[in-house]
Coordinates of all heavy atoms in Angstrom, one line a residue:
V7 N 67.9 74.5 63.1 CA 66.9 74.2 62.1 C 67.3 75.0 60.8 O 67.3 74.5 59.7 CB 65.5 74.5 62.5 CG1 64.5 74.5 61.4 CG2 65.1 73.6 63.6
R8 N 67.5 76.3 61.0 CA 67.9 77.2 59.9 C 69.2 76.8 59.3 O 69.4 76.8 58.1 CB 67.9 78.6 60.4 CG 66.6 79.2 60.8 CD 66.6 80.6 61.3 NE 67.0 81.4 60.2 CZ 67.8 82.5 60.3 NH1 68.1 82.9 61.5 NH2 68.1 83.3 59.3
Y9 N 70.2 76.4 60.2 CA 71.5 76.0 59.7 C 71.4 74.8 58.7 O 71.9 74.8 57.6 CB 72.4 75.7 60.8 CG 73.7 75.1 60.4 CD1 74.8 75.9 59.9 CD2 73.9 73.7 60.5 CE1 76.0 75.3 59.5 CE2 75.1 73.1 60.1 CZ 76.1 73.9 59.6 OH 77.3 73.4 59.2
Y10 N 70.7 73.8 59.1 CA 70.6 72.6 58.3 C 69.8 72.8 57.0 O 70.2 72.3 56.0 CB 70.1 71.4 59.1 CG 71.1 70.9 60.1 CD1 70.9 71.0 61.5 CD2 72.3 70.3 59.7 CE1 71.8 70.5 62.4 CE2 73.2 69.8 60.6 CZ 73.0 69.9 61.9 OH 73.9 69.5 62.8
Q11 N 68.8 73.6 57.1 CA 68.1 73.9 55.9 C 69.0 74.7 54.9 O 69.0 74.4 53.7 CB 66.8 74.8 56.2 CG 65.8 74.9 55.1 CD 66.2 75.9 54.0 OE1 66.8 76.9 54.3 NE2 65.8 75.6 52.8
R12 N 69.7 75.7 55.4 CA 70.6 76.4 54.5 C 71.7 75.5 53.9 O 72.1 75.7 52.8 CB 71.3 77.6 55.3 CG 70.3 78.8 55.5 CD 71.1 80.0 55.9 NE 72.0 79.8 57.0 CZ 71.7 80.3 58.2 NH1 70.7 80.9 58.5 NH2 72.6 80.1 59.2
Q13 N 72.3 74.6 54.7 CA 73.3 73.7 54.2 C 72.7 72.8 53.2 O 73.4 72.5 52.1 CB 73.9 72.9 55.4 CG 74.6 73.7 56.4 CD 75.7 74.6 55.8 OE1 76.5 74.2 55.0 NE2 75.7 75.9 56.2
A14 N 71.5 72.3 53.4 CA 70.9 71.4 52.4 C 70.6 72.2 51.1 O 70.9 71.7 50.0 CB 69.6 70.8 52.9
A15 N 70.2 73.5 51.2 CA 70.0 74.3 50.1 C 71.3 74.6 49.3 O 71.3 74.5 48.1 CB 69.3 75.6 50.5
W16 N 72.3 74.8 50.1 CA 73.7 75.1 49.5 C 74.1 73.9 48.7 O 74.6 74.0 47.5 CB 74.6 75.4 50.6 CG 76.0 75.8 50.2 CD1 76.4 77.0 50.0 CD2 77.1 74.9 49.9 NE1 77.8 77.0 49.6 CE2 78.2 75.7 49.5 CE3 77.3 73.5 50.0 CZ2 79.5 75.2 49.2 CZ3 78.6 73.0 49.7 CH2 79.6 73.9 49.3
L17 N 74.0 72.7 49.2 CA 74.4 71.5 48.5 C 73.5 71.2 47.3 O 74.0 70.9 46.2 CB 74.3 70.2 49.4 CG 75.5 70.0 50.4 CD1 75.2 68.9 51.4 CD2 76.7 69.7 49.6
T18 N 72.2 71.4 47.4 CA 71.3 71.1 46.3 C 71.5 72.1 45.2 O 71.2 71.8 44.0 CB 69.9 70.9 46.7 OG1 69.4 72.1 47.4 CG2 69.7 69.7 47.6
D19 N 71.9 73.4 45.6 CA 72.1 74.4 44.5 C 73.4 74.0 43.7 O 73.4 74.2 42.5 CB 72.4 75.8 45.2 CG 71.1 76.4 45.6 OD1 70.0 75.9 45.3 OD2 71.2 77.4 46.4
R20 N 74.4 73.5 44.4 CA 75.6 73.2 43.7 C 75.6 71.8 43.0 O 76.3 71.6 42.0 CB 76.8 73.3 44.6 CG 77.2 74.7 44.9 CD 77.8 75.0 46.2 NE 78.0 76.4 46.5 CZ 77.1 77.2 46.9 NH1 75.9 76.8 47.1 NH2 77.4 78.5 47.1
F21 N 74.9 70.9 43.6 CA 74.8 69.5 43.0 C 73.3 69.1 42.9 O 72.9 68.2 43.5 CB 75.6 68.6 43.9 CG 77.0 69.0 44.2 CD1 77.3 69.6 45.5 CD2 78.0 68.9 43.3 CE1 78.6 70.0 45.8 CE2 79.3 69.3 43.6 CZ 79.6 69.9 44.8
P22 N 72.6 69.8 42.0 CA 71.1 69.5 41.9 C 70.8 68.1 41.4 O 69.7 67.6 41.7 CB 70.6 70.6 40.9 CG 71.8 71.0 40.2 CD 73.0 70.8 41.1
N23 N 71.7 67.5 40.6 CA 71.5 66.2 40.1 C 72.0 65.1 41.0 O 72.0 63.9 40.7 CB 72.0 66.0 38.7 CG 71.4 67.0 37.7 OD1 70.2 67.2 37.8 ND2 72.1 67.5 36.8
G24 N 72.6 65.5 42.1 CA 73.2 64.5 43.0 C 74.4 63.9 42.6 O 74.8 62.8 43.0
T25 N 75.1 64.5 41.6 CA 76.4 64.0 41.1 C 77.5 65.0 41.3 O 77.2 66.2 41.3 CB 76.3 63.6 39.6 OG1 75.9 64.8 38.9 CG2 75.3 62.5 39.4
L26 N 78.7 64.5 41.4 CA 79.8 65.4 41.6 C 80.1 66.1 40.3 O 80.3 65.5 39.2 CB 81.0 64.6 42.0 CG 82.3 65.4 42.4 CD1 82.0 66.3 43.6 CD2 83.4 64.5 42.8
V27 N 80.2 67.5 40.3 CA 80.5 68.3 39.2 C 81.5 69.3 39.6 O 81.6 69.6 40.8 CB 79.2 68.9 38.5 CG1 78.3 67.9 38.0 CG2 78.5 69.8 39.6
D28 N 82.2 69.9 38.6 CA 83.1 71.0 38.9 C 82.3 72.2 39.5 O 81.3 72.6 38.9 CB 83.8 71.4 37.7 CG 84.8 70.4 37.2 OD1 85.1 69.4 37.9 OD2 85.4 70.5 36.1
V29 N 82.8 72.7 40.6 CA 82.3 73.9 41.2 C 83.5 74.8 41.5 O 84.3 74.4 42.4 CB 81.5 73.6 42.5 CG1 81.0 74.9 43.2 CG2 80.3 72.7 42.2
P30 N 83.6 76.0 40.9 CA 84.7 76.9 41.1 C 84.9 77.2 42.6 O 83.9 77.5 43.3 CB 84.4 78.1 40.3 CG 83.4 77.7 39.3 CD 82.6 76.5 39.9
G31 N 86.1 77.0 43.1 CA 86.5 77.3 44.4 C 86.1 76.2 45.4 O 86.4 76.2 46.6
L32 N 85.5 75.1 44.9 CA 85.1 74.0 45.8 C 85.6 72.7 45.3 O 86.3 72.0 46.1 CB 83.6 74.0 45.9 CG 83.0 72.9 46.7 CD1 83.4 73.1 48.2 CD2 81.5 72.8 46.6
V33 N 85.4 72.3 44.1 CA 85.7 70.9 43.7 C 86.0 70.9 42.2 O 85.3 71.7 41.4 CB 84.7 69.9 44.1 CG1 83.4 70.1 43.3 CG2 85.1 68.5 43.8
M34 N 86.9 70.1 41.8 CA 87.2 69.9 40.3 C 87.5 68.4 40.1 O 88.3 67.8 40.9 CB 88.3 70.7 39.9 CG 88.7 70.5 38.4 SD 90.2 71.4 38.0 CE 90.6 70.5 36.5
L35 N 86.8 67.8 39.1 CA 87.1 66.5 38.8 C 88.4 66.5 38.0 O 88.4 67.0 36.8 CB 86.0 65.9 38.0 CG 84.6 65.8 38.8 CD1 83.5 65.4 37.8 CD2 84.7 64.9 39.9
A36 N 89.5 66.0 38.5 CA 90.8 66.0 37.8 C 91.2 64.6 37.4 O 91.0 63.6 38.2 CB 91.8 66.6 38.7
D37 N 91.7 64.4 36.3 CA 92.2 63.1 35.8 C 93.7 63.2 35.9 O 94.3 64.2 36.2 CB 91.7 62.7 34.5 CG 92.0 63.7 33.4 OD1 92.8 64.6 33.6 OD2 91.3 63.6 32.3
K38 N 94.4 62.1 35.5 CA 95.8 62.0 35.5 C 96.5 63.1 34.6 O 97.5 63.7 35.0 CB 96.2 60.6 35.0 CG 97.6 60.3 35.4 CD 97.9 58.8 35.1 CE 99.3 58.4 35.4 NZ 99.5 56.9 35.2
K39 N 95.8 63.4 33.5 CA 96.4 64.4 32.6 C 96.4 65.8 33.2 O 97.3 66.6 33.1 CB 95.5 64.4 31.3 CG 96.0 65.4 30.2 CD 95.2 65.2 29.0 CE 95.7 66.2 27.9 NZ 94.8 66.2 26.7
D40 N 95.3 66.1 33.9 CA 95.2 67.4 34.7 C 96.3 67.5 35.7 O 97.0 68.6 35.9 CB 93.8 67.6 35.3 CG 92.7 67.8 34.4 OD1 92.9 68.3 33.3 OD2 91.6 67.3 34.7
I41 N 96.5 66.5 36.4 CA 97.5 66.4 37.5 C 98.9 66.6 36.9 O 99.8 67.3 37.4 CB 97.4 65.2 38.3 CG1 96.1 65.1 39.0 CG2 98.5 65.1 39.3 CD1 95.7 63.8 39.7

């Protein structure tokens, strides 16, 4: 119960609008130019 609540809080803290955004150390939206 505690694990799933913490995981949900972790996700909603990083992606509060429910969209993929750059998060240092986790994800970056890269286009062809970045690559």
